[in-house]
Amino acid sequence: MESPLHNLPEAIIILDFNNHIIGVNSAGEQLLKLKRTDLIGKSIDAMLPRQSSSTYRNEILKDGRKEISLSRGDGQTFHAELTLSTITGLNGKHMGRVVIVRDSQQSQQSEMGIKQETSVRNQNLMLRAFQETTF
């Protein structure tokens, strides 16, 4: 049975405590243009810009939200929004991280689409109200 993570629309990457990839969902494969088998066991560093210093990588891998450039399997880079959270065991011990990756450009386009849809809906409501008051 496939994990529910595989069906989520967001790219999800699971890291072990050494920041090696131990899981990725289908959306992650599509966004990164790499197969799960090509990602499992690799360091998250493989996706970070080549010129990254260890200080930069450590800053990126802190919990929270970050915007950075990531590399795809086809060699292209893209601007991404990462949301990182630590996975903690029942004993309180750090076990790894979950990383949610969004293509910033796609996120902006989605937000614009929602805003346009809302604007059109509001215009239609105003027109309908105007029509009802004039007849």
Side-chain angles (χ1 to χ4, degrees), residues 58-70:
N58 290 338
E59 177 61 30
I60 289 170
L61 293 173
K62 287 184 182 175
D63 287 357
R65 183 169 280 167
K66 310 283 188 265
E67 289 199 24
I68 66 166
S69 291
L70 291 180

Side-chain angles (χ1 to χ4, degrees), residues 75-93:
Q76 294 182 342
T77 59
F78 68 103
H79 198 68
E81 178 184 305
L82 304 181
T83 304
L84 292 95
S85 295
T86 299
I87 301 170
T88 307
L90 294 175
N91 59 1
K93 185 177 177 183

Side-chain angles (χ1 to χ4, degrees), residues 88-126:
T88 307
L90 294 175
N91 59 1
K93 185 177 177 183
H94 171 80
M95 298 181 68
R97 288 189 176 83
V98 62
V99 183
I100 301 171
V101 184
R102 293 178 193 90
D103 184 324
S104 292
Q105 184 177 3
Q106 287 179 342
S107 293
Q108 288 172 354
Q109 288 172 347
S110 293
E111 283 180 33
M112 286 175 49
I114 291 169
K115 287 178 183 176
Q116 287 174 341
E117 198 174 292
T118 302
S119 177
V120 167
R121 191 175 313 122
N122 289 340
Q123 286 175 347
N124 286 340
L125 288 171
M126 286 190 312

Side-chain angles (χ1 to χ4, degrees), residues 12 15 18 22 28 33-34 36 44 48 60 75 90 99 105 111 122 124 133:
I12 308 289
L15 306 175
N18 290 319
I22 59 173
K33 297 189 179 187
L34 286 166
R36 188 174 293 124
I44 190 74
L48 301 176
I60 289 170
L90 294 175
V99 183
Q105 184 177 3
E111 283 180 33
N122 289 340
N124 286 340
T133 58

